[in-house]
Amino acid sequence: MVSEEPNLPNAFVKLYYILQEMKPANTENGVPVLHSAKEGCKPKKFTPDEVLVPNPSFKENQGMKRKIQPGSLSIYELERLENIRQNQVFLSSIKLLEAKQDLKPQKTQRGLKKQKLNKVAWTEILPPRTKSLRIQKKEAERLPLPPEPHRIYYEAERIERARKPEGPISMEPINMEEDSSLPPELLKLWTEDLIKEEKEELGLAEYRSTLKSMELSEIGGVVKVVKSRICSVAFHPCSSRLLMAAGDKLGGVGLWNLDSDMGDEGVLLFEPHVRPVACMAFSRSHPTDLLTLSYDGTLRSTDVEKAVFDEVYRIKDGLRTFDFLSHDCSTLVTGDWYGDVAIVDRRTPGTSHESLHSLDTKTVRCVHVHPVQKQYIMVAENSIVSIYDARCLKASWSEPVSQLYGHSKSISSAYFSPGTGNRVVTTCLDNNIRIYDTSELTSRAPLLTSIQQNLYTGRWLSKLQAMWDPKRDDCFVVGSMQQPRRVQVFHESGQLQHSFQDPEMTTVLSVTAFHPTRNALLGGNASGRLYVFTD
């Protein structure tokens, strides 16, 4: 009997033939045996001594099942272990593993060594809980409001460590053994007689070529000098060797003699202060004199011959900046966070000021003295830079001789050009570096150039400050927030002269300074490291 094909639409024809081919072929007594879909999905059950494993060779054992005795390895696993052993023998023969270890960079820290901190268990003892007056059903006492404090800065952040005692402090390096004297090498270099050589000022093209020749030393160009974030740096004016100083956030002052073995690879660390060392400078008339100023309210002088830190000036707290007011560096001008400017005479016994002048500002961020006409003092205030005559300063309010306008936010620094003082460079948090013409001190100094630069560093980095090259009157250096990290040198016209870059310079060098006579540039970062570029 021939079965007739049903008359179905084309859509069901293919489905019909597929179902015909899928009819079961198993029969019992001529009757087809059907299996349910659920039964067909059940996995095959093996006996405990029979387990399927991958075939060691697909060509030789294709489609074959192998039985494995419990506790023994299959042929596939044996071959795998043999391949592993042969690979290890081969790698050992070509010394690849040793070469891999040699290629790993060895992270070594030059300068200060890491100190292990002793962890002390600390438990907080809570005071007994007292009931409120409302729960005790008592009337509240009416107390008058306390008077507002005059000085609100740092009232919440009190000094945890005690201030250093008044008077001289022994100059003992904390990174050397106790009762150890200063290295004779440092004393010889510190008291070296300076040889003043009159050099002709290079042209701008020659100056650029000189900057390009300055590189970071591969061996000793980066050294950890202080423990914490660097706030100020300075070059010793000696020319035979490079001696550098740095002040950090914790009040430490580090000295680094390049290519020397004194201390920790040429580094000596002292602690004359307990708060950030905001400003430091070597005396131009007496290079053996390094002055350091700190937020803890002290201004100290470094006397290496006596091995002490003498105290020059002392207030309660809040000192921010200083500069030399006379050519012999015997008179100083200081500024604090409370808007006061003090005149200090080092020849007068004691540690107080000669006169104190309160300016019409909340804070003084920077003071700088004209390099030629020493009676003019420039003060960086909130958003205005004012130039005062020191001979006409009054106790409460003083009228400025000239003012530099155009800033819309806080001013980080303002400096006269080192040779003539005819230019002023200011650094402002509105992301602009401005150059003003101060050749004639008019009531409103004209703006020459404005350079846009990312100057937002946040709270964990020191503020970027544009600093003049002491050897020139028209070029200055400033750190940068750009990637890759760099230090940039600009002309007063705003033209970029050179960018110092290096693969090892992976952090922002916020604090920078040029050497007064040699071709050397110094930069400090937030981890206490100094970078020096030399020719």
Side-chain angles (χ1 to χ4, degrees):
M1 182 178 179
V2 181
S3 61
E4 297 181 357
E5 295 181 0
N7 187 11
L8 298 173
N10 293 334
F12 296 96
V13 173
K14 293 183 179 180
L15 180 61
Y16 172 78
Y17 285 109
I18 292 174
L19 294 176
Q20 290 293 114
E21 294 177 358
M22 294 178 61
K23 287 184 178 181
N26 299 332
T27 56
E28 293 182 4
N29 300 326
V31 180
V33 179
L34 299 177
H35 298 281
S36 63
K38 184 176 180 181
E39 184 179 355
C41 294
K42 291 181 180 179
K44 181 180 177 182
K45 295 183 179 180
F46 295 94
T47 58
D49 60 344
E50 183 181 16
V51 181
L52 284 175
V53 296
N55 299 323
S57 176
F58 181 79
K59 294 181 180 180
E60 298 177 0
N61 303 311
Q62 186 175 4
M64 295 179 59
K65 298 178 183 178
R66 295 173 288 122
K67 293 185 178 181
I68 305 172
Q69 297 297 330
S72 61
L73 297 178
S74 65
I75 301 175
Y76 168 77
E77 292 175 337
L78 293 174
E79 290 182 0
R80 174 178 171 274
L81 294 176
E82 180 63 22
N83 291 338
I84 293 175
R85 188 190 65 81
Q86 292 179 3
N87 291 338
Q88 291 177 350
V89 172
F90 175 73
L91 294 177
S92 301
S93 63
I94 62 176
K95 299 182 179 181
L96 183 62
L97 299 178
E98 291 80 354
K100 178 182 177 182
Q101 297 295 331
D102 296 338
L103 290 176
K104 289 184 177 180
Q106 297 181 358
K107 296 182 180 179
T108 57
Q109 175 177 299
R110 293 180 54 83
L112 292 179
K113 306 303 179 184
K114 293 183 178 180
Q115 299 179 356
K116 295 183 178 179
L117 301 177
N118 296 327
K119 296 183 179 180
V120 181
W122 179 80
T123 56
E124 182 180 5
I125 301 176
L126 298 177
R129 187 174 181 178
T130 58
K131 295 182 179 180
S132 64
L133 295 177
R134 181 183 62 83
I135 296 177
Q136 298 178 13
K137 297 181 180 181
K138 296 181 179 179
E139 294 185 359
E141 300 179 4
R142 295 184 178 181
L143 300 176
L145 293 176
E148 295 183 1
H150 175 64
R151 298 186 172 185
I152 59 176
Y153 294 97
Y154 303 111
E155 289 295 329
E157 184 187 349
R158 287 290 81 195
I159 302 174
E160 296 181 0
R161 295 178 294 173
R163 298 177 68 186
K164 299 290 183 179
E166 297 184 8
I169 297 177
S170 178
M171 195 175 177
E172 297 179 357
I174 63 174
N175 60 330
M176 297 179 64
E177 296 180 357
E178 295 183 1
D179 300 331
S180 58
S181 59
L182 296 176
E185 180 184 358
L186 176 64
L187 182 61
K188 180 180 178 181
L189 187 61
W190 197 273
T191 58
E192 176 183 314
D193 294 332
L194 300 181
I195 301 175
K196 295 183 179 180
E197 298 180 359
E198 295 183 359
K199 296 182 179 180
E200 296 182 359
E201 186 173 338
L202 299 176
L204 204 56
E206 296 176 352
Y207 181 65
R208 281 195 296 266
S209 62
T210 302
L211 295 177
K212 293 179 181 178
S213 64
M214 297 166 58
E215 296 179 352
L216 189 68
S217 175
E218 296 181 358
I219 301 176
V222 182
V223 168
K224 187 173 178 62
V225 180
V226 288
K227 296 180 180 180
S228 184
R229 169 164 58 94
I230 293 179
C231 301
S232 56
V233 295
F235 265 113
H236 189 276
C238 66
S239 57
S240 61
R241 302 185 71 173
L242 292 179
L243 178 62
M244 294 145 282
D248 71 348
K249 182 182 177 182
L250 302 178
V253 174
L255 299 178
W256 176 27
N257 185 6
L258 188 65
D259 301 330
S260 175
D261 295 332
M262 67 177 190
D264 292 332
E265 302 185 59
V267 175
L268 297 176
L269 180 60
F270 308 91
E271 288 186 346
H273 304 281
V274 296
R275 297 198 65 185
V277 182
C279 188
M280 63 166 48
F282 284 93
S283 172
R284 289 183 287 269
S285 60
H286 304 283
T288 59
D289 193 8
L290 171 64
L291 277 77
T292 58
L293 177 143
S294 174
Y295 287 0
D296 61 8
T298 58
L299 175 62
R300 295 186 178 274
S301 172
T302 306
D303 191 342
V304 177
E305 295 180 348
K306 297 181 181 179
V308 294
F309 289 101
D310 284 327
E311 194 171 57
V312 177
Y313 181 51
R314 187 184 185 93
I315 62 173
K316 186 176 181 180
D317 67 344
L319 279 179
R320 176 62 181 85
T321 178
F322 82 95
D323 196 12
F324 301 102
L325 190 57
S326 59
H327 290 281
D328 60 356
C329 300
S330 61
T331 310
L332 308 173
V333 55
T334 66
D336 58 29
W337 283 115
Y338 314 112
D340 299 334
V341 171
I343 307 297
V344 180
D345 193 342
R346 301 182 62 184
R347 297 166 295 186
T348 303
T351 59
S352 61
H353 49 258
E354 295 293 320
S355 60
L356 184 66
H357 312 277
S358 297
L359 304 180
D360 187 19
T361 179
K362 293 182 179 180
T363 181
V364 174
R365 301 185 183 275
C366 181
V367 296
H368 197 236
V369 179
H370 197 284
V372 180
Q373 305 178 58
K374 290 290 185 179
Q375 69 272 18
Y376 292 120
I377 303 172
M378 182 167 56
V379 180
E381 302 173 357
N382 294 332
S383 59
I384 300 177
V385 178
S386 302
I387 300 176
Y388 296 92
D389 191 337
R391 301 167 296 183
C392 302
L393 287 175
K394 299 179 180 179
S396 58
W397 180 85
S398 302
E399 184 177 356
V401 177
S402 178
Q403 288 186 314
L404 284 62
Y405 293 93
H407 309 88
S408 60
K409 291 187 178 181
S410 298
I411 302 170
S412 302
S413 63
Y415 296 103
F416 285 107
S417 56
T420 61
N422 292 338
R423 298 289 184 268
V424 169
V425 59
T426 64
T427 310
C428 183
L429 294 183
D430 60 3
N431 292 336
N432 280 281
I433 300 173
R434 296 175 175 87
I435 296 92
Y436 293 86
D437 182 8
T438 54
S439 56
E440 295 181 1
L441 295 179
T442 59
S443 60
R444 189 184 184 101
L447 175 65
L448 296 179
T449 313
S450 180
I451 306 171
Q452 288 190 353
Q453 185 89 341
N454 182 13
L455 302 174
Y456 182 75
T457 57
R459 63 176 299 186
W460 306 114
L461 300 179
S462 299
K463 301 299 181 185
L464 298 178
Q465 297 183 4
M467 305 290 294
W468 293 102
D469 187 347
K471 302 179 290 296
R472 296 187 66 88
D473 220 36
D474 57 352
C475 293
F476 58 89
V477 61
V478 65
S480 176
M481 298 292 293
Q482 299 180 23
Q483 290 277 9
R485 300 306 184 191
R486 65 194 69 185
V487 175
Q488 297 176 318
V489 179
F490 289 93
H491 187 257
E492 63 175 12
S493 61
Q495 182 182 4
L496 178 64
Q497 301 299 307
H498 183 63
S499 292
F500 291 93
Q501 299 183 36
D502 192 90
E504 291 191 17
M505 193 166 64
T506 57
T507 57
V508 178
L509 302 187
S510 303
V511 189
T512 55
F514 269 110
H515 194 279
T517 57
R518 291 184 53 176
N519 296 325
L521 174 64
L522 182 63
N525 66 2
S527 61
R529 288 175 172 80
L530 286 180
Y531 294 69
V532 58
F533 294 83
T534 57
D535 53 1

